[in-house]
Amino acid sequence: MASELKAGVCLNYVSIAIRLGTSFFLTPFIIERLGVNEYGLFMLSGTVIAWLSLTDFGLGATVSKYAATYHAKGEAERESHFLGQAMMLFSALGLLTFLIGIACYFSLSSFFPDLNDEQMETLRILYLLTLGNLVLAFPLRPIGCVPGAHMKFIVPGVVHLVLSLLNAGLTVLLLCLGYKAIGLTVLVVGVSVAGLAWGLYYVVCRMGVRLLFRKPDTALYREMFGFSFWMNAQSADGSLLLARRNPHSRPLFRDGRRHSVHNRSIFRSILHDGFLRHFRRSGSEAHAYGGTGRR
């Protein structure tokens, strides 16, 4: 596990360096090929979609926390149930995002009145492509949290690195062939879909994680939103609680017979015992074992 963690950290730094390097060197080339106006439209569509991505309400970190805890406790059945419920919840959030996105689509001309007809038509196409990519990714977001929760960093890191290099190389190729912003957006969507498909295959087929889909568990949803609320509130406040060891105080997790009691226990653990810091250490051993009472 230690070697997996170290390799994952190294791959993460390499991936960051490559993304920064390709962005630094490719941006002037992209602007030269697209022109300032079309490059502005290319970036503008992504900016609008970025605001829509906030409809996940910060639940991604919550999914990581629960998946890591269930895996550390060896509760594979509960993890499978949780992941299935998380995918159902994120699918509903994806539908909400789609409806809001369509409403924004018909208001683009009001948001950007200075664009001419040709520019507005290009923006609409870019917007729909990017919105489709965002909505498609929503149901599979919980799957993306599983490798890190299981302390698997090498294979996902290598694949993401390859996809980043592939995206950069194909971007240069498309621009040299004369493609514009729409072609680049189609490329981004294609690479994203390939990454999502690979992630689902890796988690289900290679890691052997099961996904159980049952009727909606509203108590679990309330618990997830509650935890996410407190975590985001603490982040916004800028004063994460310090963790202290207390053998008599451990966070309780959802049991089908006592949802409300467990909800309150989780919140008290966050507020008084500081387990939040453990779960926010993504990619560390505390992330996988924090608050479980195991070593």
Side-chain angles (χ1 to χ4, degrees), residues 38 42 126 129 174 179-189:
E38 188 153 357
F42 179 65
L126 296 175
L129 287 171
L174 289 179
Y179 287 91
K180 299 295 184 179
I182 295 176
L184 295 185
T185 303
V186 171
L187 170 63
V188 171
V189 172

Side-chain angles (χ1 to χ4, degrees), residues 223-241:
E223 184 176 314
M224 292 172 64
F225 277 111
F227 183 87
S228 179
F229 169 79
W230 286 113
M231 185 169 61
N232 290 329
Q234 290 296 324
S235 297
D237 184 59
S239 56
L240 294 176
L241 300 176

Side-chain angles (χ1 to χ4, degrees), residues 117-182:
D117 292 342
E118 182 180 357
Q119 291 173 334
M120 181 57 63
E121 184 64 24
T122 301
L123 178 61
R124 290 184 185 279
I125 296 174
L126 296 175
Y127 179 85
L128 286 178
L129 287 171
T130 313
L131 176 63
N133 183 40
L134 176 66
V135 172
L136 182 63
F138 252 89
L140 296 179
R141 283 193 181 187
I143 296 298
C145 302
V146 175
H150 286 228
M151 303 296 287
K152 300 293 184 182
F153 302 112
I154 296 178
V155 175
V158 170
V159 171
H160 292 158
L161 188 60
V162 170
L163 288 176
S164 296
L165 293 173
L166 179 65
N167 183 69
L170 290 178
T171 296
V172 174
L173 177 62
L174 289 179
L175 290 173
C176 291
L177 292 176
Y179 287 91
K180 299 295 184 179
I182 295 176

Side-chain angles (χ1 to χ4, degrees), residues 29-48:
F29 180 70
I30 295 174
I31 294 175
E32 179 185 355
R33 290 286 178 166
L34 294 182
V36 175
N37 290 335
E38 188 153 357
Y39 178 77
L41 294 175
F42 179 65
M43 299 301 294
L44 184 61
S45 63
T47 301
V48 176

Side-chain angles (χ1 to χ4, degrees), residues 63-143:
V63 172
S64 296
K65 169 257 177 183
Y66 276 89
T69 301
Y70 289 137
H71 175 67
K73 297 175 104 176
E75 298 177 343
E77 186 75 13
R78 296 185 71 182
E79 182 184 14
S80 299
H81 170 73
F82 170 77
L83 290 174
Q85 292 295 318
M87 291 185 68
M88 292 168 60
L89 176 59
F90 272 79
S91 297
L93 293 176
L95 178 60
L96 173 64
T97 303
F98 174 74
L99 295 176
I100 297 174
I102 291 299
C104 292
Y105 170 79
F106 290 108
S107 302
L108 286 177
S109 57
S110 300
F111 294 156
F112 309 106
D114 295 333
L115 298 180
N116 58 41
D117 292 342
E118 182 180 357
Q119 291 173 334
M120 181 57 63
E121 184 64 24
T122 301
L123 178 61
R124 290 184 185 279
I125 296 174
L126 296 175
Y127 179 85
L128 286 178
L129 287 171
T130 313
L131 176 63
N133 183 40
L134 176 66
V135 172
L136 182 63
F138 252 89
L140 296 179
R141 283 193 181 187
I143 296 298

